[in-house]
Amino acid sequence: MKKTAFKSTQGNRFHVTCELGAVGGQSGEFYVAQRDGGSGSPYVVKVFDKRDQNAVDRARWLVDKRQMIEHPSMVLPVDYIDEPNCFAVISPYIDGAMEMEAWMSTSPSFIDHVVIAAQISQMMVCLKNAGVFHGDLHSRNVLIVASRAYLIDFDNATGQGAPAAPMAGGHYSMAPERASGTGPVTEASESYALACLTHELLLSTSPFAGSG
């Protein structure tokens, strides 16, 4: 992103404060920004390749859909920038967060693991009730702050009225039909990913560890 200040489609003005490294399991360009006249809370700006019309259309769909998803721990895009040479989504920035695997390495108690698993399950139910599939649920897309889980990276989100999501990743929690590229994101593939993540949290290992 060449610019250091920009205006979103909702009329909010933002200024970039710094470039950000990789966020969770996501790829792309990331920047930390603040909204002019706002509370001072930081935001993450993710820049998309505007030629990827599928990603752009799904990002717009998700910003509109966000009003139906009421959960404080889902880091959904709240606005977007649509300029001739730039498309970007704006999401809240979670300060001090650790990726789930890094959090697990700090030796939290089993009860803490159960609490995080329950929080993730609750978020997935909330998405389902809103007609949204995350499409890319795995440990790097879960951030944790003070025993509270946050779900990030909705780049592959889809649902009714949205373009189909592309295959993402190839991580262990991807359902076989998704990993092979033969099936769309469905309630079944979401349940598969959630089961894998829950297994990892409760048993501290991938369900396929040692399977080759």
Side-chain angles (χ1 to χ4, degrees), residues 140-208:
R140 293 198 66 197
N141 284 336
V142 175
L143 301 181
I144 299 175
V145 181
S147 296
R148 180 173 178 178
Y150 292 85
L151 188 56
I152 66 169
D153 191 0
F154 286 81
D155 290 357
N156 288 280
T158 187
Q160 186 174 4
M167 190 189 81
H171 44 79
Y172 71 85
S173 61
M174 181 177 285
E177 68 276 14
R178 289 286 293 151
S180 66
T182 60
V185 179
T186 63
E187 185 177 335
S189 66
E190 293 283 88
S191 296
Y192 183 97
L194 178 59
C196 290
L197 201 60
T198 302
H199 185 288
E200 184 174 0
L201 276 163
L202 299 187
L203 299 179
S204 298
T205 182
S206 159
F208 307 109

Side-chain angles (χ1 to χ4, degrees), residues 79-198:
D79 202 348
Y80 59 90
I81 303 150
D82 194 355
E83 298 179 346
N85 299 311
C86 172
F87 183 87
V89 294
I90 303 165
S91 306
Y93 176 66
I94 307 301
D95 194 17
M98 301 177 69
E99 290 182 11
M100 193 185 90
E101 289 183 358
W103 173 80
M104 290 174 65
S105 72
T106 65
S107 302
S109 70
F110 178 72
I111 295 300
D112 289 331
H113 283 239
V114 172
V115 168
I116 293 299
Q119 291 174 4
I120 296 169
S121 296
Q122 183 186 49
M123 286 188 277
M124 295 302 287
V125 169
C126 184
L127 286 174
K128 174 188 171 184
N129 291 342
V132 176
F133 297 137
H134 183 276
D136 194 23
L137 179 65
H138 57 87
S139 59
R140 293 198 66 197
N141 284 336
V142 175
L143 301 181
I144 299 175
V145 181
S147 296
R148 180 173 178 178
Y150 292 85
L151 188 56
I152 66 169
D153 191 0
F154 286 81
D155 290 357
N156 288 280
T158 187
Q160 186 174 4
M167 190 189 81
H171 44 79
Y172 71 85
S173 61
M174 181 177 285
E177 68 276 14
R178 289 286 293 151
S180 66
T182 60
V185 179
T186 63
E187 185 177 335
S189 66
E190 293 283 88
S191 296
Y192 183 97
L194 178 59
C196 290
L197 201 60
T198 302

